[in-house]
C-alpha cells in the first residue's frame, strides 16, 4: 500500500483550497484515467496487462532463465528510459540469486567504458541492447564495442547466442538481429522510453537480476486500479499532481525528492528523468532533484532550511522494516558521549532523523510524503506505476505534453554535426 500525505504542506496550500482545486480539475483526472486519444501512441503503459500480462511475464521468465544459465553477468546497454527503471529497481531491491547487472550505453567516457569492459573479464556475459530508435549515440556506440568484445572472446557464433536486443519492430536494430541471429525482443510500440517500467524493456533485465517480476507487476496492477478508479479527492496520485501544480503557481519551481534509505539512490534518478523529461518544456515545469539523507543533511540540508525559497520537498519513506533492516547498537563501557543510543535500533534512529528533518523543513517549506509499507518487489511496482500516473496528470495540469521530449534534440544536432554523422 502507498500513502500520500500533504499535511506538512498545509501552511502553504490550505486543505480547503486543495479540495476545491481537485473538484475544479476533475475532468483532467477523468481524461487521464480513460487515456486521451491525442496521446494514444504513448499510453500503452496505462494498462499494465497490455505489456505485462501473464503471457508476457511467462515468456520473459523463460528467456531470463535461459540467460541466467548462460551468464553470471548481464550487460544492459541503454540510456534514459531504456536504463533507469532497471537500475532503480535492482539497486532498491538488491535481489539475490540472479545475474549481476552491468550498465553500458549511458556514457561516452573512455575511462568508464574501459573499466566496464575490464569488469567483464572472468565472467560469463550476455548483453542486451535496449533502444527504441537505435539512433541514440551512447547505446549505439556501446553496443558496437560490446559486440566486438564478445566476438573476440567467444567467436561470432557463440557471441550471437549471447546477444539480445530489445528494439522496435521493423527498425534497423531488428534487421541487424535477423541478419546476425541475435535474440530479438520487441519494444512496446505505444510506450515511450521513460514509461516502459512495466514492459519487457525492463521486465527482462529485472528477471535476469532475480527480481520477482510477478510481484512487481501485481503491485503495479493494483495501483493501476486505484489510480484509474478513484475520484479526484480520493485519488492520491492526482492529489500529488494537484499539489505540485498549486505549488508551481506560487513560485515553488524545484522539487527535492528526499529519502533516508540509500537504496533509493537510483530510484531518485528514475524520478528525475520521469518528471524532467515529461514536464520541462514550453518554458514550464518543476525542476526535480534529489537528496540522499543523512549524507546530504550535511550539505544540501543547509540550503533547504535556510536558502532561497524556491524548493518544496517530497519525502519518500518506507513504513515497516524488512529483512535486514534491523541493527541494534550495543552499549559500551567506553564513555563516548553516545550513551543515549544504547540498545537502539538503527532503523528507529534513522526514522527519528527523518521525522525531525521533515518537521524542521516543514517550518519553512512545503513538505509532502510518499510512503510505502515495505521496500519489496510488490511495492516497487506500486511506486513505478503511481509516479508515472502522477507525472502524466501533473503534465496535463501544467498544460504540457508529458510524452514528448523535443528539448533533447538541440544538442544532438550539434553533436552529430561535430562527429560527421551523415557525412560518411
Ligand atoms: O524517455 C525517453 O523517451 C528517453 O529518455 C529515451 O528512453 C532515451 O532517449 C533513449 O532512447 P532510445 O531507447 O531510443 O535509445
Amino acid at each position: 500500500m502507498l500513502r500520500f500525505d500533504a499535511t506538512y504542506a498545509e501552511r502553504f496550500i490550505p486543505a480547503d483550497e486543495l479540495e476545491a482545486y481537485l473538484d475544479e480539475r476533475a475532468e483532467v483526472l477523468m481524461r487521464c484515467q480513460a487515456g486521451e486519444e491525442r496521446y494514444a501512441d504513448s499510453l500503452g503503459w496505462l494498462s499494465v496487462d497490455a505489456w505485462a500480462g501473464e503471457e508476457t511475464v511467462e515468456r520473459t521468465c523463460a528467456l531470463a532463465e535461459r540467460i541466467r544459465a548462460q551468464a553470471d553477468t548481464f550487460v544492459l546497454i541503454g540510456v534514459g528510459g531504456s536504463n533507469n527503471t532497471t537500475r532503480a529497481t535492482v539497486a532498491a531491491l538488491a535481489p539475490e540469486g540472479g545475474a549481476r547487472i552491468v550498465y553500458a550505453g549511458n556514457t561516452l567516457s573512455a575511462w568508464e567504458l574501459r573499466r566496464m569492459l575490464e569488469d567483464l573479464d572472468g565472467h560469463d556475459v550476455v548483453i542486451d541492447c535496449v533502444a527504441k530508435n537505435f539512433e541514440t549515440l551512447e547505446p549505439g556506440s556501446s553496443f558496437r564495442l560490446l559486440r566486438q568484445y564478445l566476438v573476440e572472446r567467444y567467436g561470432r557464433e557463440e557471441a550471437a547466442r549471447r546477444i539480445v536486443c530489445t528494439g522496435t519492430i521493423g527498425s534497423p536494430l531488428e534487421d541487424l538481429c535477423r541478419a546476425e541471429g541475435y535474440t530479438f525482443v520487441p519494444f512496446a510500440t505505444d510506450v515511450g522510453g521513460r514509461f516502459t517500467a512495466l514492459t519487457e524493456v525492463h521486465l527482462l533485465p529485472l528477471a535476469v537480476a532475480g527480481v520477482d517480476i510477478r510481484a512487481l507487476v501485481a503491485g503495479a496492477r493494483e495501483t493501476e486500479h486505484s489510480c484509474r478508479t478513484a475520484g479526484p479527492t480520493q485519488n492520491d496520485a492526482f492529489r500529488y499532481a494537484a499539489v505540485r501544480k498549486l505549488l508551481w503557481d506560487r513560485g515553488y519551481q524545484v522539487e527535492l525528492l528526499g529519502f533516508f534509505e540509500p537504496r533509493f539512490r537510483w530510484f531518485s534518478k528514475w524520478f528525475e528523468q520521469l518528471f524532467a523529461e515529461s514536464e520541462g518544456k514550453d518554458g514550464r515545469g518543476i525542476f526535480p532533484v534529489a537528496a540522499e539523507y543523512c549524507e546530504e543533511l550535511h550539505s544540501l540540508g543547509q540550503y533547504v532550511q535556510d536558502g532561497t525559497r524556491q524548493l518544496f520537498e517530497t519525502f519518500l519513506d518506507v513504513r515497516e522494516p524488512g529483512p535486514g533492516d534491523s541493527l541494534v547498537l550495543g552499549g559500551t563501557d567506553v564513555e563516548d558521549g553516545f550513551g543515549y543510543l544504547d540498545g537502539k535500533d538503527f532503523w528507529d534512529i534513522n526514522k527519528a532523523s527523518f521525522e525531525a528533518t521533515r518537521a524542521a523543513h516543514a517550518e519553512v517549506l512545503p513538505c509532502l510524503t510518499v510512503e510505502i509499507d515495505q521496500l519489496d518487489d510488490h511495492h516497487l511496482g506500486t511506486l513505478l506505476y503511481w509516479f508515472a500516473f502522477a507525472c502524466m496528470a501533473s503534465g496535463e495540469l501544467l498544460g504540457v505534453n508529458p510524452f514528448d521530449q523535443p528539448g533533447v534534440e538541440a544538442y544532438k544536432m550539434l553533436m552529430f554535426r561535430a562527429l560527421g554523422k551523415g557525412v560518411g
Side-chain angles (χ1 to χ4, degrees):
M1 171 146 180
L2 179 151
R3 276 166 292 273
F4 170 68
D5 179 12
T7 50
Y8 286 85
E10 277 177 6
R11 288 177 46 214
F12 305 86
I13 307 288
D16 53 349
E17 183 185 337
L18 174 60
E19 298 307 305
Y21 184 71
L22 289 165
D23 279 336
E24 191 190 309
R25 306 307 310 271
E27 45 79 36
V28 173
L29 175 63
M30 279 156 68
R31 278 194 270 129
C32 289
Q33 289 175 326
E36 277 198 72
E37 193 47 44
R38 62 181 163 152
Y39 299 137
D41 60 355
S42 304
L43 284 174
W45 60 274
L46 196 55
S47 159
V48 171
D49 281 334
W51 292 102
E54 191 44 39
E55 210 180 293
T56 307
V57 169
E58 195 78 29
R59 186 174 62 239
T60 304
C61 287
L63 178 55
E65 208 172 295
R66 194 200 89 193
I67 292 169
R68 283 162 61 158
Q70 270 180 300
D72 63 7
T73 296
F74 184 78
V75 186
L76 172 59
I77 306 166
V79 72
S82 295
N83 158 320
N84 281 334
T85 300
T86 296
R87 199 171 42 168
T89 306
V90 169
L93 300 176
E96 286 172 5
R100 174 178 72 124
I101 309 293
V102 167
Y103 301 96
N106 52 354
T107 182
L108 297 171
S109 154
W111 190 92
E112 278 293 339
L113 289 165
R114 192 177 284 283
R115 201 194 49 82
M116 181 272 299
L117 287 178
E118 282 165 11
D119 209 18
L120 304 183
D121 289 342
H123 293 276
D124 293 322
V125 179
V126 165
I127 68 173
D128 180 11
C129 176
V130 182
K132 186 168 173 103
N133 296 312
F134 199 48
E135 277 178 2
T136 313
L137 175 63
E138 296 88 344
S141 54
S142 276
F143 184 36
R144 186 195 287 190
L145 185 73
L146 280 152
R147 272 191 339 259
Q148 290 171 341
Y149 170 88
L150 289 183
V151 169
E152 203 169 296
R153 194 170 147 188
Y154 295 105
R156 198 164 177 147
E157 223 172 282
E158 177 58 17
R161 282 194 280 272
R162 292 174 176 273
I163 297 176
V164 179
C165 295
T166 305
T168 301
I169 292 176
S171 69
L173 185 56
E174 186 187 12
D175 296 343
L176 197 152
C177 282
R178 304 286 174 227
E180 297 295 323
Y182 306 155
T183 303
F184 181 74
V185 176
F187 200 113
T189 43
D190 53 357
V191 186
R194 58 192 174 276
F195 289 89
T196 53
L198 282 309
T199 72
E200 277 166 283
V201 167
H202 295 289
L203 293 178
L204 176 63
L206 290 175
V208 171
V211 170
D212 179 352
I213 61 168
R214 281 200 170 77
L216 189 93
V217 168
R221 194 181 287 122
E222 212 175 276
T223 311
E224 176 195 337
H225 179 74
S226 56
C227 286
R228 296 187 73 182
T229 56
T233 53
Q234 279 81 46
N235 194 309
D236 277 348
F238 191 59
R239 290 176 79 83
Y240 171 55
V243 177
R244 294 177 94 251
K245 173 63 168 60
L246 291 173
L247 289 169
W248 186 75
D249 287 342
R250 282 166 165 70
Y252 292 97
Q253 301 203 346
V254 181
E255 178 177 22
L256 186 65
L257 187 76
F259 52 92
F260 282 73
E261 194 46 72
R263 283 174 286 174
F264 282 132
R265 182 174 304 159
W266 291 106
F267 186 87
S268 72
K269 290 282 174 208
W270 176 85
F271 168 89
E272 284 175 354
Q273 190 221 349
L274 178 68
F275 280 91
E277 244 184 352
S278 301
E279 282 195 339
K281 52 197 69 157
D282 307 332
R284 305 160 83 79
I286 292 165
F287 187 70
V289 288
E292 183 181 325
Y293 299 138
C294 295
E295 180 88 36
E296 286 172 307
L297 287 176
H298 303 268
S299 56
L300 298 181
Q302 168 60 35
Y303 187 102
V304 177
Q305 191 78 52
D306 225 7
T308 312
R309 294 278 158 257
Q310 58 183 337
L311 293 173
F312 68 96
E313 192 161 20
T314 300
F315 288 99
L316 183 55
D317 190 39
V318 182
R319 179 187 280 236
E320 303 290 343
D325 275 329
S326 167
L327 180 65
V328 174
L329 189 60
T332 172
D333 55 7
V334 175
E335 186 40 70
D336 61 3
F338 289 93
Y340 64 94
L341 296 178
D342 285 359
K344 289 207 166 74
D345 196 306
F346 272 103
W347 173 267
D348 299 315
I349 301 171
N350 201 26
K351 271 272 179 257
S353 178
F354 158 55
E355 272 153 22
T357 303
R358 182 174 56 180
H361 290 184
E363 289 292 314
V364 289
L365 56 120
C367 289
L368 311 172
T369 309
V370 174
E371 182 194 69
I372 48 171
D373 285 338
Q374 291 214 324
L375 185 37
D376 59 14
D377 312 61
H378 183 96
H379 287 88
L380 238 294
T382 297
L383 282 177
L384 292 168
Y385 191 94
W386 193 85
F387 274 115
F389 190 89
C391 180
M392 167 177 64
S394 189
E396 292 267 15
L397 290 171
L398 198 63
V400 298
N401 172 355
F403 301 112
D404 64 0
Q405 54 282 327
V408 298
E409 296 308 317
Y411 87 90
K412 282 189 193 168
M413 212 178 63
L414 296 174
M415 177 181 66
F416 286 142
R417 194 183 302 157
L419 291 169
K421 186 181 179 195
V423 176

